[in-house]
Amino acid sequence: MRMKAKTVDKIATYVIVVLALFIVALLLGLLGFILARGIGHIDWNFLTSAPQMLKGGGGIGPQLFNSIFLLVLTLIITIPLGWGGGIYMAEYAKPGRITSFIRLVVEVLSSFPSIVIGLFGLLLIVNTFGLGFSLISGAMALAIFNLPLMVRTTEQAFRAVPKEQKEAGLALGLSKWKIITSILLPVALPSLITGTILASGRIFGEAAALMFTAGMSSPPLDFTDWNPTSPRSPLNPFRPAETLAVHIWKVNSEGIGPDSKEVAAGASAVLVILVLAFNLSARWIGRVVYRRMTASK
């Protein structure tokens, strides 16, 4: 029986390793295919010029800027709400019906398809609130879409902190908020950074929700006009904005230009590179901040 158990354990280990290698190979193959297909079409002109729907030679400059600007707007809304909600659930919420109801709402919201969030944003944010197709409408819709992930990640990160550290703060007579900001937050920071990275990746790649909120076109942008109230200013959050993911879908489905396939391939490669670069840089920043806040090497 003992030998049999060891044999079963070895077989299970081999199966798990093979499956893990298969997933890694599948991911690398997918990334390699996208990059090999599109990286040859990327140059400075492609990254900075405006798109052309009827003739060749267009780029993705406005769409690339819109994606980054939308990411910043969404995180400005999502991080305070998501981190605040997670801290409340972990440190302040008492067991009971209200807390259970909040958890149920978070779980239900996390299972909504993105297109449902987009239709909700179209009805409430775009039409009822009168914000129209705009960056701020898209940011608010994506904030709703990402809040469950941010709340759950924050709550789990704070609950994972050893109780001894919290008890040491109480023994020193520190207030609850001081314990949260000075003891629990630095320890939970790597997990919070990871949750923010996951949410950011979803922002970069989201298309369905943004078609109904941010819009499927962008006005001609004047990158010399940095007045946020100007209709053609890139920093105007109340203007329509086609993001890179929406542009890829639009070119693949509606593009009639002679180089539409090349534009879609190049834009897909840029999106993949952007997500990878953001993830790697954000993880590095998270480690640096963690070392500084905890004085660890």
Side-chain angles (χ1 to χ4, degrees), residues 13 39 42 47 72 162 165 183 189 202 236 246 254 258 291:
T13 302
I39 202 166
I42 301 175
L47 294 175
V72 173
Q165 298 192 20
I183 298 177
L189 190 61
R202 298 173 78 184
N236 186 354
V246 174
E254 301 177 3
R291 285 197 295 266

Side-chain angles (χ1 to χ4, degrees), residues 70-153:
L70 180 66
L71 170 67
V72 173
L73 289 176
T74 305
L75 291 181
I76 289 175
I77 301 173
T78 307
I79 288 178
L81 294 177
W83 288 16
I87 292 173
Y88 169 78
M89 295 298 292
E91 300 297 327
Y92 291 96
K94 297 179 180 179
R97 292 183 178 180
I98 297 178
T99 303
S100 299
F101 177 74
I102 294 175
R103 293 187 190 280
L104 176 63
V105 170
V106 171
E107 293 297 328
V108 171
L109 189 60
S110 65
S111 64
F112 278 2
S114 60
I115 194 168
V116 174
I117 301 295
L119 290 172
F120 172 78
L122 175 64
L123 294 174
L124 184 66
I125 302 172
V126 175
N127 294 331
T128 304
F129 291 170
L131 294 177
F133 293 106
S134 61
L135 279 163
I136 193 65
S137 298
M140 293 174 69
L142 289 182
I144 297 172
F145 185 62
N146 283 316
L147 269 179
L149 175 63
M150 294 286 284
V151 170
R152 286 185 299 178
T153 303

Side-chain angles (χ1 to χ4, degrees), residues 7-8 35-36 56-57 68 133 184 198 206 234 270 276 291-292:
T7 303
V8 172
L35 293 176
I68 298 174
F133 293 106
L184 302 183
L198 292 174
E206 184 55 46
V270 170
L276 291 176
R291 285 197 295 266
R292 290 189 177 183

Side-chain angles (χ1 to χ4, degrees), residues 153-187:
T153 303
T154 305
E155 181 183 1
Q156 292 171 2
F158 273 81
R159 291 190 182 277
V161 178
K163 292 184 178 180
E164 290 78 7
Q165 298 192 20
K166 184 177 180 180
E167 292 171 354
L170 292 172
L172 292 173
L174 301 179
S175 64
K176 194 164 189 175
W177 181 245
K178 186 66 176 177
I179 292 173
I180 291 173
T181 55
S182 301
I183 298 177
L184 302 183
L185 182 60
V187 179

Side-chain angles (χ1 to χ4, degrees), residues 12-36:
T13 302
Y14 290 146
V15 170
I16 292 173
V17 170
V18 170
L19 291 175
L21 292 176
F22 173 75
I23 293 173
V24 171
L26 185 64
L27 177 61
L28 292 177
L30 178 62
L31 293 177
F33 174 77
I34 294 174
L35 293 176

